[in-house]
Amino acid sequence: MTATPLETVLFIIFGAVAIAGALSVILARQVVYSALGMLVNFVALAAMYIMLSAEFLGIAQLIVYAGAIVVLFLFALMLVGGRRPAEQGRLSPGFAAAGGALALIFLAEVAYLVARMTEVAGARGTVTPETIAQTGHIQLLGATLLLEYILPFELASVLLLVGIVGAVVLARARRRSQEE
């Protein structure tokens, strides 16, 4: 199955929008604008999922990430005073050097994985297009998540819970220091 020229153009446009949203996340001076850039990125990714015939993943991307997670981030930012611009110049040279070294290591890993792309892809799965046609995407995804990958699925939910509790603890600590 090959893509039509319109699909290719739309995919490139959504890809460019996703990259622009991701760049605005890291380059915006106000964290609220970063969260809005993340929203743009999530919506563009959802459009790309839908274009790749992964409708369930696209809708889940919209509902969970673009809806719930971004709204949660915005509430947390408003709770800790996210309208203030990010403070500049507080990064010590040691942290900057460590960050640069980590970025170089990450880029080297990505280059290594791209160079060995055929080996990293792994073996083909057991699900065939005929199985998907008989069972359906959503049923297969649910069965796979809740039967084969239940431990990583639950660990991801615990990780999200820890992040939420950490955000609340940080917000309460900052509020107490401002009141004193």
Side-chain angles (χ1 to χ4, degrees), residues 11 29 51 63 67 75 89-90 92 103 139 142 148 176:
F11 195 82
R29 291 188 176 260
M51 288 185 65
I63 293 172
F75 275 124
R90 299 187 73 189
S92 71
Q139 287 85 5
E148 293 181 36
R176 280 189 197 147

Side-chain angles (χ1 to χ4, degrees), residues 6 38 114 120:
L6 178 62
M38 188 167 54
V114 168
V120 174

Side-chain angles (χ1 to χ4, degrees), residues 7-47:
E7 290 173 337
T8 304
V9 169
L10 284 175
F11 195 82
I12 291 171
I13 289 171
F14 287 129
V17 169
I19 291 172
L23 287 174
S24 75
V25 169
I26 59 173
L27 296 176
R29 291 188 176 260
Q30 293 195 1
V31 289
V32 173
Y33 295 145
S34 291
L36 292 176
M38 188 167 54
L39 175 66
V40 169
N41 178 277
F42 287 162
V43 170
L45 288 179

Side-chain angles (χ1 to χ4, degrees), residues 56-100:
F56 177 77
L57 197 57
I59 298 300
Q61 173 81 16
L62 279 177
I63 293 172
V64 174
Y65 290 101
I69 299 294
V70 170
V71 168
L72 178 67
F73 280 176
L74 288 174
F75 275 124
L77 290 174
M78 294 302 164
L79 191 64
V80 297
R83 293 192 58 94
R84 292 177 293 190
E87 297 177 12
Q88 301 288 323
R90 299 187 73 189
L91 189 63
S92 71
F95 281 122

